[in-house]
Amino acid sequence: MKIFEYMGKYDYEQLVLCHDEQSGLKAIICIHDTTLGPALGGTRMWTYDSEDAAIEDALRLARGMTYKNAAAGLNLGGGKTVVIGDPKKDKSEALFRALGRYIQGLNGRYITAEDVGTTVEDMDIIREETKYVTGVSPAFGSSGNPSPVTAYGVYKGMKAASKVAFGEDSLKGKVVAVQGVGHVAYNLCKHLHAEGAKLIVTDINQANVDRAVQEFGAEAVSPDKIYDVDCDIFSPCALGAIINDETIERLTCKVVAGAANNQLKEEKHGEMLEQKGIIYAPDYVINAGGVINVADELYGYNRDRAMKRVETIYDNMLKVFEIAKRDGIPSYKAADRMAEERIAAMRKTRSTFLVNGQSILSHR
Ligand SMILES: NC(=O)C1=CN([C@@H]2O[C@H](COP(=O)(O)OP(=O)(O)OC[C@H]3O[C@@H](n4cnc5c(N)ncnc54)[C@H](O)[C@@H]3O)[C@@H](O)[C@H]2O)C=CC1
Ligand SMILES: CC(C)CC(=O)C(=O)O
């Protein structure tokens, strides 16, 4: 891939390749934009087909975090880390400590947390080397695993999208097809089941499917069938780019609302959903619960304050649909507009002189 061309196209700040022979660490830290504050985004560990694929994922995910943090009203920029490796086989204390040292080397320009393939325990190891990590164990006064909070935000956002699509936000009796029932979607299914939604689930991990069938009476289908099931809501909760030329044709739902990052393969797929009359809940607006929760740690974690902020995902989602209606644009574009306007406003704010970069009042 032509890295600088891609970085230029979307105005990236920094791409760091981290290598540690002893621990086997091969990681990419990407910082997209720090206009609003330090870049915050999780660390993904995944077996990539190629180094290019890993770099591209880090770039796309980091940019998504810029938009997510801006749209959620956080004073944070966007970044992400990708570790190349199999989370089931390649994890070690040495690997995460090596990564922690690279993060520390960025001196606060980037703050990490969990993502696919990493856990609270991994963050605890990173914490041995750097203070620029969130989502560590509650024993450290931290917020712990962000997934249940992400799930709660997705549940709230799904209700908002349903209000627009069905005229009411109750999910009772709605059929929801869930792709991937991992950390986030398991907790999402709990909320949906409690409200009386009917669940159809799939996963490449059979144990995760079995758990959803047993606990929530979900119907299980094979991973290749999930796009074809008769449902009201399709909820992508695995990996990205699953809304594409091939899958859109097969969808029967009225709403797409899920946790996965970068659901649209390309922007045109947001237009295609719109043309098909499907209400799309933009991924980075609906799945901001986790980052809102871990970001609260930067102020000294307060669960009530964090959860109140997560509740705002419902109204934020309605706001996106209002902008889309007002401006006659698809919802993915409305979300981008909302985030970009906030970043642009902060960029334009006059840069007043501060003594040693600090408010003059702090010298009194
Ligand atoms: N964990 C969090 O707090 C947040 C997660 N997200 C995003 O939500 C998504 C899910 O995250 P987690 O639940 O943490 O990850 P996870 O790894 O626990 O769950 C993903 C699940 O999807 C399954 N899966 C993978 N490929 C699949 C396929 N082709 N078909 C069906 N199932 C498949 C996996 O086996 C796994 O059970 C990811 O895209 C992540 O980036 C976004 C915001 C926050
Ligand atoms: C998992 C979150 C805490 C941060 C993140 O990387 C995300 O929202 O995708």
Side-chain angles (χ1 to χ4, degrees):
M1 94 182 278
K2 290 190 170 153
I3 295 177
F4 280 113
E5 196 175 298
Y6 191 89
M7 289 178 81
K9 186 170 170 195
Y10 296 109
D11 208 5
Y12 282 86
E13 291 181 16
Q14 195 173 4
L15 191 67
V16 186
L17 301 186
C18 313
H19 174 253
D20 182 69
E21 190 63 33
Q22 291 306 312
S23 65
L25 176 75
K26 282 187 194 142
I28 300 138
I29 302 174
C30 179
I31 297 176
H32 174 246
D33 186 292
T34 56
T35 306
L36 296 179
L40 172 55
T43 293
R44 175 170 294 194
M45 187 165 187
W46 195 250
T47 48
Y48 288 92
D49 289 341
S50 67
E51 288 174 6
D52 267 7
I55 292 172
E56 195 179 329
D57 207 26
L59 286 160
R60 272 169 59 86
L61 289 165
R63 182 163 170 261
M65 289 309 300
T66 298
Y67 281 78
K68 186 181 305 194
N69 294 338
L74 299 172
N75 294 316
L76 291 163
K80 201 91 172 188
T81 297
V82 153
V83 175
I84 301 174
D86 184 341
K88 289 202 191 84
K89 293 198 301 233
D90 299 329
K91 283 186 181 182
S92 68
E93 180 190 358
L95 181 137
F96 284 110
R97 289 191 67 155
L99 177 61
R101 288 194 288 278
Y102 279 107
I103 293 169
Q104 180 63 22
L106 290 166
N107 207 20
R109 273 176 53 68
Y110 168 71
I111 303 164
T112 200
E114 292 85 348
D115 189 41
V116 174
T118 59
T119 62
V120 174
E121 290 72 33
D122 303 329
M123 297 306 125
D124 286 352
I125 299 173
I126 291 175
R127 185 183 169 275
E128 294 295 318
E129 301 289 347
T130 182
K131 59 183 174 183
Y132 302 117
V133 54
T134 55
V136 293
S137 289
F140 297 117
S142 181
S143 66
N145 180 2
S147 305
V149 187
T150 302
Y152 184 63
V154 173
Y155 165 65
K156 287 282 166 181
M158 190 183 280
K159 285 173 82 66
S162 296
K163 190 168 185 196
V164 175
F166 308 114
E168 55 161 20
D169 70 7
S170 169
L171 297 170
K172 190 161 192 272
K174 293 280 180 299
V175 180
V176 187
V178 184
Q179 180 183 47
V181 262
H183 292 112
V184 176
Y186 168 71
N187 288 287
L188 172 64
C189 287
K190 257 191 206 167
H191 294 297
L192 298 176
H193 178 62
E195 192 164 325
K198 296 194 177 89
L199 299 171
I200 303 176
V201 301
T202 195
D203 201 295
I204 50 172
N205 178 339
Q206 190 56 39
N208 286 354
V209 172
D210 293 345
R211 182 173 62 168
V213 170
Q214 276 156 22
E215 291 190 27
F216 312 123
E219 178 191 335
V221 296
S222 62
D224 56 316
K225 288 280 176 308
I226 195 74
Y227 304 105
D228 305 311
V229 298
D230 223 347
C231 64
D232 300 300
I233 301 168
F234 173 58
S235 186
C237 295
L239 296 181
I242 40 69
I243 302 291
N244 54 46
D245 288 344
E246 197 249 319
T247 58
I248 289 175
E249 272 187 17
R250 296 162 62 186
L251 293 177
T252 60
C253 59
K254 281 299 266 173
V255 171
V256 171
N261 282 309
N262 297 333
Q263 292 169 26
L264 304 177
K265 185 164 185 202
E266 294 170 51
E267 289 190 349
K268 70 168 185 184
H269 298 115
E271 323 267 345
M272 285 167 70
L273 285 178
E274 175 89 3
Q275 280 153 19
K276 213 177 157 181
I278 296 176
I279 303 286
Y280 170 59
D283 46 16
Y284 61 77
V285 179
I286 197 170
N287 73 13
V291 78
I292 292 172
N293 194 47
V294 299
D296 196 83
E297 289 180 29
L298 305 174
Y299 300 90
Y301 185 60
N302 178 309
R303 183 158 172 95
D304 286 348
R305 182 177 57 204
M307 292 311 286
K308 272 203 188 96
R309 195 154 197 171
V310 173
E311 297 273 348
T312 65
I313 289 176
Y314 183 95
D315 286 335
N316 225 17
M317 190 59 71
L318 290 181
K319 194 167 153 197
V320 168
F321 294 128
E322 268 163 38
I323 295 172
K325 198 168 164 197
R326 184 195 69 197
D327 298 353
I329 53 175
S331 57
Y332 86 89
K333 240 185 208 158
D336 283 2
R337 196 165 280 182
M338 194 169 86
E340 282 163 4
E341 278 173 6
R342 180 158 182 252
I343 295 168
M346 293 312 294
R347 230 180 236 141
K348 273 194 234 140
T349 305
R350 193 214 279 233
S351 177
T352 42
F353 174 74
L354 299 173
V355 178
N356 297 329
Q358 289 193 312
S359 163
I360 202 148
L361 293 175
S362 64
H363 293 266
R364 284 196 178 152

